Amino acid sequence: NSIQKILHGENSVEFLFSEADIGFFYNENMNPQSAIRHLEKAHSLEKTFKIDQEESINIAAETALAHLTLRKNGGDHLSKAQEVLKPYYNSKISNSLIRFKRDLSRSRILSAKKKYAESAESYEQTILSLQEVNENQHSAAEAHLYIEMAMTIELGSKSIPNAQEKSSECYMNAHKVFLEIGDRESANKIDPMKLPKEYREEIEKSLDIPLDTNRIEFIC
């Protein structure tokens, strides 16, 4: 970043991308406050330098995700996340990783704004984008997204038709993914009573023992 500053100056497209890359790095390493500082510099430089739209969306999505991480600390992080991302809610994105980050931040913003039905639909797109990123290979991230989606549906049970059935299906999908990747510990943390009855019975049959529904874990 210092080299770009020396070679091209702070008012340059090279410095814009350097600031964005540092922001991405801080986000990846769970330092959202520092990420926002650099991403906002990059976003500010976009007023001067026109860059590819998907690069702009990438900066916006990373900024939104950083603000969403800081929501628990109070402040207006939710509104800032929405402000930076909303122009791109429905933009077509060819890069699957950038699309995934946009979809994820949009889903979380809509859920936080209590637009649960819209958020659930957005989570469906988020999972599809993640599957494309991972070339249809299952991952822990996919399972956790199913759980996020299930919790959103539960919160919006009054406005989402067949909410219990849909949330149960999400928990089942999460459970299947955890087992597929060999993470039985995480699968066991899913409350058996939140799974579809037929699936629960199928597991009981395969284990040849009943599930302990008085606690959160599976016996498996």
Side-chain angles (χ1 to χ4, degrees):
N1 191 45
S2 297
I3 291 172
Q4 295 293 358
K5 185 176 179 180
I6 293 169
L7 290 176
H8 304 285
E10 290 188 47
N11 189 33
S12 66
V13 70
E14 291 82 5
F15 191 68
L16 184 162
F17 285 120
S18 180
E19 286 289 331
D21 286 340
I22 294 174
F24 301 160
F25 173 82
Y26 276 126
N27 254 354
E28 188 177 347
N29 288 275
M30 302 304 294
N31 189 341
Q33 208 154 15
S34 295
I36 289 169
R37 186 172 67 252
H38 290 280
L39 290 167
E40 285 184 345
K41 287 181 182 178
H43 184 62
S44 178
L45 285 168
E46 287 187 76
K47 298 172 184 176
T48 304
F49 301 98
K50 184 175 177 61
I51 61 175
D52 181 80
Q53 187 186 48
E54 293 199 4
E55 294 286 358
S56 291
I57 296 172
N58 198 19
I59 293 169
E62 290 272 1
T63 305
L65 289 171
H67 277 298
L68 290 167
T69 301
L70 290 170
R71 273 188 66 221
K72 61 181 180 293
N73 298 335
D76 58 347
H77 290 291
L78 177 57
S79 61
K80 287 182 177 179
Q82 183 181 34
E83 180 183 356
V84 72
L85 191 74
K86 196 168 185 178
Y88 308 114
Y89 270 15
N90 300 307
S91 298
K92 291 184 178 180
I93 304 172
S94 59
N95 184 299
S96 57
L97 179 57
I98 295 174
R99 187 181 342 114
F100 164 69
K101 288 189 280 188
R102 186 279 307 273
D103 293 347
L104 177 61
S105 49
R106 180 186 61 197
S107 301
R108 289 176 174 172
I109 290 168
L110 290 170
S111 180
K113 299 289 285 185
K114 299 184 179 180
K115 297 181 178 180
Y116 300 120
E118 293 178 52
S119 177
E121 290 179 7
S122 182
Y123 270 113
E124 290 180 5
Q125 294 301 314
T126 306
I127 292 167
L128 290 174
S129 295
L130 179 62
Q131 289 171 343
E132 186 177 332
V133 171
N134 291 333
E135 299 180 341
N136 293 316
Q137 296 295 310
H138 291 305
S139 64
E142 181 185 352
H144 286 294
L145 278 177
Y146 276 120
I147 292 173
E148 276 191 46
M149 183 176 172
M151 294 171 68
T152 294
I153 293 170
E154 288 173 335
L155 289 169
S157 59
K158 293 181 180 179
S159 60
I160 300 175
N162 305 313
Q164 185 173 355
E165 181 182 336
K166 290 177 180 178
S167 64
S168 292
E169 184 178 353
C170 288
Y171 283 118
M172 177 184 70
N173 288 335
H175 188 267
K176 286 181 176 180
V177 170
F178 280 134
L179 292 182
E180 180 72 23
I181 64 176
D183 188 355
R184 286 185 173 271
E185 182 180 354
S186 294
N188 289 346
K189 291 178 181 177
I190 298 175
D191 184 347
M193 297 310 294
K194 290 190 174 184
L195 296 168
K197 182 181 178 182
E198 298 79 7
Y199 180 69
R200 197 165 65 241
E201 291 174 348
E202 180 185 326
I203 296 173
E204 288 179 343
K205 186 176 180 181
S206 67
L207 294 172
D208 198 29
I209 54 174
L211 297 178
D212 184 352
T213 54
N214 292 319
R215 57 180 193 168
I216 294 178
E217 295 84 13
F218 280 104
I219 306 174
C220 66

